[in-house]
Amino acid sequence: MNSLIEYFATDWEAMTVNDWIGTILTVLIFLLMILAYFQVFRPKNRESLESRKHIPFEDEDDAPSGDDDGRP
């Protein structure tokens, strides 16, 4: 058991700024993913999400295509 604790030991004083940024971002993204999963799988939100599930497949007829630059 002692070797397992030594294997996962962290020298917090030796961590650089990049190490801290990476650690904080990893934990933050992990928490945001958990929040997203709870939001999506919550039965209360089912009707709202079901009504918007075809949005990526709809054609956008009214959206500007970027081809019209105003020149004749």
Side-chain angles (χ1 to χ4, degrees):
M1 182 69 174
N2 195 18
S3 63
L4 189 62
I5 292 172
E6 290 175 9
Y7 181 76
F8 287 108
T10 303
D11 187 7
W12 297 102
E13 291 83 23
M15 290 178 65
T16 64
V17 174
N18 287 334
D19 294 334
W20 281 107
I21 291 172
T23 303
I24 291 169
L25 282 177
T26 302
V27 171
L28 182 66
I29 291 171
F30 175 74
L31 293 175
L32 288 174
M33 287 299 296
I34 289 176
L35 179 69
Y37 285 134
F38 278 115
Q39 190 74 13
V40 167
F41 291 122
R42 196 170 186 185
K44 182 177 108 175
N45 298 330
R46 181 182 176 118
E47 185 177 322
S48 171
L49 293 172
E50 287 286 329
S51 68
R52 294 183 275 166
K53 71 180 178 182
H54 295 292
I55 288 176
F57 305 112
E58 293 177 359
D59 290 332
E60 297 182 20
D61 296 332
D62 298 333
S65 63
D67 295 335
D68 186 20
D69 58 359
R71 288 186 270 177

